[in-house]
Amino acid sequence: MTTTAHPPVLVLGGTGTIGHRVVAQLLDRGLPARAASRHTDPPLNWADPTTWDAALDGAERIYLLLPDDVDLPDGFLDRARAAGVRRVVLHSDRAVDLMNVTRLQGAERAVRASGLEWTIIRPDWFAQNFETFFRDGIVGGRLCMPVGEAKQGFVDGDDIAAVAVKALTTDAHLGEVLEITGPTALSFREATALIADAIGRPVEFDGTPQAYREQMLAVGLPEEAVEGLIQSFAPVAEAGDTHPTGVVEAVLGRPARPFADYVAAAAARGVWQ
């Protein structure tokens, strides 16, 4: 059953890779939506509870994507419910348990216990990471990630946003955890090779911890931080190949976007020039 939400959907994290797509897709459907962050009007600062009420005012549904390294503050969901929010879609991560991401594990527990209608989405690696976090490596001709040759479920940001919008605007996935992948699994080496073909120049991939360590130290990341990252990625390498879940296809009734299609479009936009 499709429901119509005249009050605006509040998109927390609404200026980021996925959040701004959620806003755009809601608006394209004629549904009011507004992003909230420290830089919006009104602002929302997770560390300042005095900013929460103004940001929540008038919203019945929220898309909740926490900034990196920010825990969901105690009391926020209670405040949201008191303000009239009745549904939350939490953006978590497919590796939340594999990598022991405690802040997202805590957020998932809080959402389940909130008394609100809820859906949790757990996307795999964003395809768009190759034009943000991994862009410098691609442009420099050498991408290092300490995940070995394990295949990953790279998924397009528009597909993630579309699943989130479906969860926000229909009752079809209440109380579900949706693990979102692309249509096929690829190793970082295979993904990098597709990008190299599209841009017409070689891009080396090295999946060893030592190569990642050397590259991160060379750009000035503290040694302690680098070792922590290597340790956190180790379970990804150890887990081996992922398997596509088919969630995009099941939720949206259409194929998920192949990584090669994303690469062709991104190369045409010149993101790796």
Side-chain angles (χ1 to χ4, degrees):
M1 180 182 71
T2 301
T3 58
T4 303
H6 293 294
V9 178
L10 180 64
V11 182
L12 305 176
T15 58
T17 298
I18 308 302
H20 88 268
R21 288 173 162 82
V22 173
V23 171
Q25 291 187 25
L26 287 166
L27 294 176
D28 285 346
R29 296 178 61 160
L31 299 172
R34 70 169 187 262
S37 72
R38 288 182 299 173
H39 306 295
T40 56
D41 184 18
L44 184 140
N45 184 340
W46 288 107
D48 183 1
T50 65
T51 68
W52 297 352
D53 289 340
L56 290 164
D57 185 44
E60 285 187 355
R61 304 174 187 220
I62 58 176
Y63 174 75
L64 175 53
L65 194 164
L66 292 163
D68 289 342
D69 301 323
V70 172
D71 293 337
L72 179 63
D74 291 340
F76 178 80
L77 292 176
D78 291 336
R79 191 85 68 87
R81 186 172 58 183
V85 172
R86 60 188 181 88
R87 178 175 300 184
V88 57
V89 174
L90 174 68
H91 183 118
S92 185
D93 191 291
R94 193 163 182 233
V96 61
D97 295 322
L98 179 66
M99 296 179 67
N100 194 31
V101 187
T102 55
R103 67 183 187 87
L104 292 180
Q105 291 170 336
E108 290 193 6
R109 288 192 297 269
V111 163
R112 289 187 175 100
S114 67
L116 300 169
E117 299 174 346
W118 62 265
T119 304
I120 295 170
I121 65 170
R122 290 178 172 177
D124 214 320
W125 302 85
F126 306 166
Q128 282 73 16
N129 284 348
F130 285 89
E131 60 188 82
T132 54
F133 300 114
F134 306 144
R135 181 181 182 275
D136 288 348
I138 298 295
V139 172
R142 187 168 186 256
L143 176 64
C144 300
M145 278 294 296
V147 295
E149 300 300 325
K151 294 181 183 291
Q152 311 299 328
F154 301 113
V155 57
D156 189 83
D158 286 326
D159 286 345
I160 299 170
V163 171
V165 167
K166 193 73 174 288
L168 286 163
T169 59
T170 77
D171 295 341
H173 302 288
L174 297 180
E176 293 184 7
V177 177
L178 303 175
E179 297 202 355
I180 309 172
T181 68
T184 57
L186 298 169
S187 68
F188 268 86
R189 187 179 305 280
E190 291 169 329
T192 302
L194 287 171
I195 294 173
D197 287 345
I199 62 179
R201 64 178 188 271
V203 182
E204 177 189 355
F205 173 72
D206 193 320
T208 64
Q210 183 58 27
Y212 181 79
R213 179 181 294 110
E214 292 171 356
Q215 193 171 71
M216 292 299 100
L217 291 175
V219 298
L221 203 63
E223 183 176 358
E224 182 178 357
V226 173
E227 295 306 320
L229 287 167
I230 291 172
Q231 184 176 2
S232 70
F233 283 124
V236 178
E238 294 167 2
D241 295 346
T242 195
H243 299 284
T245 60
V247 164
V248 170
E249 294 82 352
V251 171
L252 303 179
R254 62 162 177 79
R257 188 185 193 191
F259 185 77
D261 289 4
Y262 157 74
V263 168
R269 287 188 283 116
V271 301
W272 298 298
Q273 288 181 356

